Amino acid sequence: KEAPAGLRGHIVIDESKCILCGICQKACPTGAITVDRKGRIWAIEPFRCILCDSCVRACPKQALATSPELKEIATGKYDSVHTIPDPKAATA
């Protein structure tokens, strides 16, 4: 069955665009996003996310998007953790 138009499934991040500025974390009304600059970690708690797109609109680098695809059913809470590559390390 095809998903209806406008369906929002979950937030996805393009790790190559993320600069770990933390604006998405500040824009999130539920506190679902955590940004750790020192550890170069971006994480979201999907069960806290209300898919309001505040983080997507706030991101200055357009690193976040809303995917219409639904994830598989989970039996417990979890964090979606992403390690952001250091652009300085790639050029060295």
Side-chain angles (χ1 to χ4, degrees):
K1 193 171 183 180
E2 197 170 310
L7 177 72
R8 293 183 282 172
H10 62 279
I11 301 295
V12 293
I13 183 170
D14 182 344
E15 297 168 355
S16 65
K17 291 182 179 179
C18 182
I19 58 172
L20 296 166
C21 64
I23 293 173
C24 58
Q25 179 178 344
K26 292 176 186 171
C28 182
T30 63
I33 297 174
T34 305
V35 177
D36 176 11
R37 288 183 186 166
K38 191 172 186 175
R40 301 204 58 80
I41 305 250
W42 184 92
I44 186 167
E45 294 180 56
F47 283 88
R48 291 180 73 180
C49 178
I50 58 172
L51 295 167
C52 65
D53 277 352
S54 293
C55 59
V56 175
R57 289 190 304 273
C59 182
K61 296 294 183 178
Q62 289 79 44
L64 300 176
T66 306
S67 171
E69 298 170 2
L70 295 174
K71 289 190 170 192
E72 291 188 27
I73 296 172
T75 57
K77 292 184 179 182
Y78 65 94
D79 290 354
S80 179
V81 179
H82 301 267
T83 303
I84 308 301
D86 188 354
K88 294 175 188 170
T91 60

